[in-house]
Amino acid sequence: MTAIIATTVFGIIMMFTGLFVSDKKTVTSIAAVLILALLGINILELNDATGPGLRSATLGLLGVADTTNGQFPQVLFNNMLRIDKLSMWFGTMMTACTALYILLIGKEFKKVGTHVAEYFALIFFILCGLYLLTSYNSLLMLFIGIEIMSIPQYILAGSDKRNLKSSEASLKYFLMGAFSTGIMLMGITLLYGAARTFNVAEMIPMLHSETLSPLAIAGVVFIIIALGFKVSAAPMHMWTPDVYDGTPTPFTAFMATIVKAGVFFAFLRLFHISFGNISSHWLMLIAVVTAATLLVGNVTAVFQQSVKRMLAYSSIAQAGFMLFAVAAVNSSIAWNAIILYGVAYSVATIGVFAVLVKMKDYTYDGFNGLAKKHPVLAFVTTIFLFSLAGIPLTGGFMAKYYVLLAVMQQGNLMWLVIFALLMAAISVYYYFRVIAAMYFKQGEAELSSEVTSTDKILLIATAAIVILIGVMPDLFVLHM
Amino acid sequence: MILVLLILIPLLTGALSFAIKGEGAKMLALISTMATLVVASCVSGANFSAAITFDAAWIPALGARFSLLGDGMSSMLCLLTAIVMMVVMIAQINKETENAGSFYGLMLLAQAGLMGVFLASDALLFYVFWELALIPVYFLCSIWGGERRIAVTFKFFVYTFVGSLMMLSGLIFLYLKTPGTGSYAWADIVHAGSSLPADQQQWLFWLIFIAFAIKMPIFPFHTWQPDAYEQSPTPVTIVLSALMVKMGLFAVLRWLMPVVPMGVTYWTDTVVVLCVIGIVYASCLAIVQTDIKRLIAYSSIAHMGLMCAAAFVHNSVGMHGLIVQMFNHGINITGMWLIVSMIEHRWGTRDMTKLGGMASSAPQMAIALVIIALGNVALPLTNGFIGEFMMFNGLFQGMISNHTVITVLAGLGIILGAVYTLNMIQKTAYGEKTPMVIAADLSINEYLGLAVIISLIIFLGVYPKPLLDLTAGVAQVMAR
């Protein structure tokens, strides 16, 4: 709860910072401090779930009474929100990823436009939407969370307003997003008609396999379509490449990672809790969508010439793997799988984008010979790409391993597993093409901006996190 | 603990090597491989009494442990790895390598991966090392290889990666069948696999076997191999052909035969027929090659075919011969590659039609070539003889259909082997004298490296008892 309030307040603070602080460096520093503070708040709140209320003590020092008494799960707003350990854990992880993102890429915001403070404010608002998505207990809250998350993204997509591609991305995203939101509302309405409640938990006894009305099935399908749109699952993925490509690179990094992982968590929350009993009705649809997503994402990524566009398609492909966790209804580790995948994928992708924003030329040829000129950049990029491809000892391997394990625990989906593995082998082609360009080809890879030693240290730290996830995944999952 | 050293020494020195500029890396690599050889000899020496184990916690949530097992077969392969790597490093002393620090660093990392594969007794750990051994080789071939290196190495990488992923899904499947919360321990995996119904074992067999078949390689999965051997720099070719192919055989013996016994029985005929096709086909192709490197590459496929066939007849003679031959083949083919690289260095070509007169221009080298080549065709009193004899004996007694025909066809491999090997000796060592680019006989380090190889060939040819004793226990356990 504190985190939700804090991120909103921080967002407003950032807006006012834009009014009073003109130096962009200062603005970036303030944003970095605020996101670290937000991470601290999250950790303190998470701490309540396990240990004695550290937060109560902190609040006590400030002379504020602790009203929640550190009770978990917290049920708020007439049972509209239910913050449990799992959602707290995921929220904290995603906040940590955002902190990493702002530290790595925050400096590049000034290249996009003049309103740097506003961009940071929007990111804080998106985080607020993400927190709602992790803890909603009512379909209305799900809807509000999706909207709070989406609208700032439409603005971020169009933030480079003199660039035609950016405006196109924004418009496309907005129109398609509005359309999918409509479908989602329709789905929620139908579900309400069938279950006579918006509440996620109360819906469970109302949805039986025996007495399931067509209304409910239609509602579930509509929600799959709407959420599938948000996570860019095929065939609802059409907007993704154009939007990710047109959006200024620093913001693509955020939209393709943390936001996506957040929606996946919401996806899981609804489908595993509310629709868990009627999984036989939607599981095959999800499996087919997963297969289509993997196919489209991986095969199309092979043909791209620009690394940024390749990453857009790779994000579709990775979404295919995350859908595995949704399909694994009966698995005990599906939740941890999505957490680990979200973290591993986000960290690695943010890392690649952090290198990409420094490049002058976004095509593969632009990376030619990077290893000679900037060995550190080339090395960390290799680690990130290894992770995305799922090579052992990197986070991506453990993440893929967890989702595979989850879906195999579910059973009956062995064909999907094999198919996904073949697709993972294809993904090696486009990820390793970047490595081949950096290490095996001659060229003069040019940077658009200087790489400072702080950048290098941060990038190496990010690579170290990627390895850490791969070697000790235990640290990143919740032990229930 | 001594087993951990086998992995740790190359791993740490390999990592250190990246930081060293210039010639220091070469010395470091030499010292590191010597130290590893000492440890490996201790392990093999200790193994006459009992197997050594090591066990530590790794990922408790998954039941994966860092557990190593050094029994007769493992320690023999570790010893082989240590010897071969040391010989390679000795041969490299007078060679100039561009970017030496990275080159030797990657070589040592590959060695660490190989040691890990041979020692791991936890399935997930095995998989991690399996991939870890591949990654350095990918970079080694792609950076220091021949003209067509990038495409060829990529083909090799994708082939093996697809296989590995299939194996991973097979291992996860088995893991889910283990009792309790799941375990990757070798004994548990074996128990889970062997208690599966026959039909499941039959398809699981291919899921796991395909990775090993590609690595060995077995016809028709061999197409990556001649190109990869040809394009790689010689030290890497040695790692690939003397050591990495043994990973495939070793894995068949440890992670396939005991795990899905009914599947193995069901598919034995198929695999043996594929092996025999491979023997004859590769031998015929070897005869028509003019490039010595390609000739040896094809001869290697033929040898691997025979070894794989011997593995699948699983009687104690064949099994014992196979394990012994794994060692001897590694020694012989290392010698062959060393000679080839010396020829290439001195004459500037590997084309047999342009070579000749080595016996008069570099007599010491010619003698070495003849001895090693005869070892390679398994002449009595060389080390190759005892293993091949036992394998043919096993094949002839094997419980497979048409075992007489199979043995006769496989025996053709020996005759054809003599044809192409003697032809090669004739063309390179005798005939018209061709001018050398660098006119010199063996230098001191080449002398030393070949001396190790040749003394092993002759010693183990005359007195193979130590090797037979070391591996007798394992062979008994494996054969049923």
Side-chain angles (χ1 to χ4, degrees), chain A residues 348-383:
Chain A
T349 311
I350 289 170
V352 176
F353 270 106
V355 176
L356 189 68
V357 287
K358 301 243 179 270
M359 305 297 296
K360 203 169 219 168
D361 183 1
Y362 284 176
T363 61
Y364 284 103
D365 291 338
F367 281 80
N368 282 357
L370 187 68
K372 281 244 168 59
K373 280 182 88 177
H374 303 280
V376 175
L377 280 192
F379 175 73
V380 293
T381 312
T382 308
I383 301 271

Side-chain angles (χ1 to χ4, degrees), chain A residues 145-174:
Chain A
I146 290 268
E147 283 303 282
I148 294 181
M149 212 164 175
S150 299
I151 291 169
Q153 285 190 73
Y154 304 146
I155 307 171
L156 286 181
S159 52
D160 189 5
K161 58 188 172 193
R162 278 176 302 273
N163 186 336
L164 213 56
K165 272 179 96 180
S166 176
S167 308
E168 182 205 338
S170 182
L171 187 66
K172 210 171 214 168
Y173 197 17
F174 176 68

Side-chain angles (χ1 to χ4, degrees), chain B residues 189-211:
Chain B
I189 292 280
V190 167
H191 178 77
S194 50
S195 44
L196 285 176
D199 59 325
Q200 284 194 9
Q201 289 198 21
Q202 283 161 20
W203 61 258
L204 202 58
F205 171 85
W206 279 107
L207 219 49
I208 301 177
F209 180 63
I210 197 131

Side-chain angles (χ1 to χ4, degrees), chain B residues 116-455:
Chain B
V117 167
F118 295 141
L119 291 171
S121 74
D122 178 286
L124 197 64
L125 190 66
F126 168 74
Y127 181 79
V128 166
F129 280 123
W130 179 272
E131 291 287 301
L132 195 66
L134 175 65
I135 301 290
V137 172
Y138 169 72
F139 279 99
L140 284 167
C141 299
S142 300
I143 299 178
W144 289 275
E147 240 168 73
R148 292 183 297 123
R149 61 185 190 274
I150 296 175
V152 163
T153 314
F154 188 71
K155 183 175 171 189
F156 157 63
F157 186 85
V158 167
Y159 259 71
T160 46
F161 193 64
V162 170
S164 308
L165 288 171
M166 293 299 135
M167 170 175 77
L168 178 65
S169 68
L171 291 178
I172 296 178
F173 184 86
L174 287 166
Y175 163 78
L176 290 171
K177 300 285 177 194
T178 52
T181 50
S183 154
Y184 277 108
W186 181 78
D188 289 329
I189 292 280
V190 167
H191 178 77
S194 50
S195 44
L196 285 176
D199 59 325
Q200 284 194 9
Q201 289 198 21
Q202 283 161 20
W203 61 258
L204 202 58
F205 171 85
W206 279 107
L207 219 49
I208 301 177
F209 180 63
I210 197 131
F212 310 153
I214 290 170
K215 207 80 162 193
M216 281 194 263
I218 292 303
F219 177 88
F221 306 106
H222 66 280
T223 51
W224 60 268
Q225 192 248 34
D227 287 337
Y229 283 13
E230 187 198 341
Q231 293 295 320
S232 304
T234 305
V236 183
T237 315
I238 292 175
V239 170
L240 275 173
S241 63
L243 303 174
M244 288 193 86
V245 295
K246 303 300 182 305
M247 280 166 61
L249 270 173
F250 166 82
V252 165
L253 295 180
R254 173 136 308 160
W255 293 101
L256 183 73
M257 299 233 149
V259 175
V260 283
M262 279 190 268
V264 172
T265 317
Y266 186 80
W267 291 110
T268 290
D269 282 358
T270 317
V271 174
V272 170
V273 167
L274 284 180
C275 292
V276 171
I277 294 176
I279 294 172
V280 178
Y281 171 76
S283 301
C284 292
L285 282 180
I287 290 176
V288 296
Q289 299 301 321
T290 52
D291 183 333
I292 311 179
K293 244 184 159 175
R294 282 188 89 84
L295 181 145
I296 300 175
Y298 280 109
S299 92
S300 184
I301 299 179
H303 283 126
M304 291 316 285
L306 178 61
M307 287 155 85
C308 181
F312 271 82
V313 294
H314 41 67
N315 50 24
S316 65
V317 184
M319 197 64 77
H320 202 175
L322 161 67
I323 297 173
V324 171
Q325 182 66 5
M326 271 156 78
F327 187 86
N328 291 331
H329 175 259
I331 296 294
N332 292 347
I333 201 142
T334 306
M336 290 299 275
W337 292 125
L338 286 179
I339 295 270
V340 170
S341 87
M342 291 168 199
I343 292 176
E344 193 182 359
H345 184 234
R346 287 185 176 70
W347 275 270
T349 177
R350 299 189 307 252
D351 191 340
M352 285 195 297
T353 53
K354 293 179 188 145
L355 290 169
M358 196 209 293
S360 51
S361 49
Q364 290 174 348
M365 207 163 117
I367 292 170
L369 170 70
V370 170
I371 295 176
I372 294 169
L374 292 180
N376 207 30
V377 292
L379 198 79
L381 291 186
T382 63
N383 63 345
F385 173 70
I386 178 71
E388 284 212 354
F389 177 76
M390 288 168 85
M391 286 197 292
F392 273 109
N393 193 349
L395 207 55
F396 191 69
Q397 296 172 13
M399 304 294 277
I400 44 172
S401 40
N402 301 324
H403 58 97
T404 328
V405 180
I406 294 282
T407 313
V408 168
L409 283 175
L412 268 182
I414 290 197
I415 300 168
L416 294 172
V419 171
Y420 58 72
T421 311
L422 295 177
N423 186 31
M424 181 192 76
I425 293 177
Q426 199 177 7
K427 281 195 177 143
T428 51
Y430 306 107
E432 207 169 302
K433 210 167 150 181
T434 48
M436 294 163 92
V437 181
I438 302 165
D441 209 342
L442 296 181
S443 63
I444 180 74
N445 68 318
E446 290 170 340
Y447 211 84
L448 214 62
L450 288 175
V452 174
I453 300 282
I454 289 174
S455 51

Side-chain angles (χ1 to χ4, degrees), chain A residues 13-342:
Chain A
I13 292 178
M14 279 320 292
M15 286 173 73
F16 278 97
T17 312
L19 273 183
F20 299 116
V21 183
S22 53
D23 182 34
K24 283 172 186 157
K25 253 194 181 145
T26 322
V27 171
T28 315
S29 311
I30 293 173
V33 169
L34 288 182
I35 189 72
L36 288 174
L38 186 62
L39 181 60
I41 290 169
N42 262 295
I43 292 172
L44 288 183
E45 206 170 1
L46 182 66
N47 202 50
D48 281 357
T50 44
L54 232 175
R55 187 179 48 114
S56 307
T58 327
L59 287 177
L61 279 180
L62 297 171
V64 184
D66 186 9
T67 46
T68 56
N69 299 319
Q71 289 291 315
F72 271 85
Q74 293 178 9
V75 179
L76 301 161
F77 304 124
N78 266 330
N79 205 7
M80 298 272 265
L81 277 187
R82 185 174 182 278
I83 303 177
D84 49 27
K85 244 171 91 175
L86 204 59
S87 58
M88 236 9 263
W89 182 268
F90 183 74
T92 310
M93 283 292 167
M94 285 300 120
T95 315
C97 290
T98 314
L100 189 69
Y101 162 74
I102 288 185
L103 290 176
L104 273 175
I105 306 185
K107 284 189 306 179
E108 310 290 331
F109 284 16
K110 61 177 184 290
K111 280 190 204 160
V112 177
T114 45
H115 310 286
V116 177
E118 274 88 339
Y119 305 150
F120 284 115
L122 291 171
I123 287 193
F124 279 110
F125 292 143
I126 293 177
L127 267 187
C128 177
L130 184 133
Y131 291 148
L132 289 184
L133 281 184
T134 56
S135 53
Y136 69 92
N137 204 24
S138 155
L139 291 182
L140 293 178
M141 270 302 178
L142 168 68
F143 179 74
I144 292 173
I146 290 268
E147 283 303 282
I148 294 181
M149 212 164 175
S150 299
I151 291 169
Q153 285 190 73
Y154 304 146
I155 307 171
L156 286 181
S159 52
D160 189 5
K161 58 188 172 193
R162 278 176 302 273
N163 186 336
L164 213 56
K165 272 179 96 180
S166 176
S167 308
E168 182 205 338
S170 182
L171 187 66
K172 210 171 214 168
Y173 197 17
F174 176 68
L175 288 178
M176 297 293 281
F179 186 60
S180 82
T181 313
I183 292 178
M184 167 167 259
L185 264 187
M186 187 68 199
I188 292 176
T189 319
L190 291 176
L191 271 172
Y192 184 76
R196 273 163 265 141
T197 173
F198 285 127
N199 192 285
V200 167
E202 286 165 17
M203 207 177 272
I204 307 169
M206 306 301 286
L207 299 172
H208 289 296
S209 267
E210 299 88 45
T211 59
L212 197 63
S213 71
L215 225 55
I217 294 180
V220 170
V221 171
F222 278 12
I223 288 185
I224 288 181
I225 293 173
L227 287 178
F229 171 87
K230 293 290 173 198
V231 300
S232 56
M236 290 78 76
H237 68 282
M238 299 296 186
W239 58 276
T240 315
D242 290 340
V243 171
Y244 284 5
D245 198 18
T247 304
T249 314
F251 303 137
T252 316
F254 191 69
M255 287 160 58
T257 55
I258 293 156
V259 170
K260 207 170 211 173
V263 180
F264 262 111
F265 195 84
F267 212 140
L268 223 66
R269 204 172 162 90
L270 188 60
F271 278 70
H272 283 203
I273 296 176
S274 304
F275 307 155
N277 288 334
I278 53 165
S279 61
S280 54
H281 292 269
W282 54 263
L283 197 58
M284 197 36 79
L285 181 61
I286 287 284
V288 171
V289 167
T290 308
T293 311
L294 285 166
L295 184 72
V296 168
N298 283 302
V299 173
T300 327
V302 167
F303 299 103
Q304 302 309 314
Q305 294 309 319
S306 142
V307 174
K308 192 180 176 186
R309 223 174 152 78
M310 178 276 277
L311 285 170
Y313 280 104
S314 116
S315 90
I316 301 177
Q318 302 279 351
F321 271 100
M322 286 195 252
L323 278 168
F324 265 50
V326 180
V329 193
N330 299 327
S331 164
S332 54
I333 61 157
W335 291 94
N336 274 335
I338 203 74
I339 292 174
L340 196 67
Y341 210 109

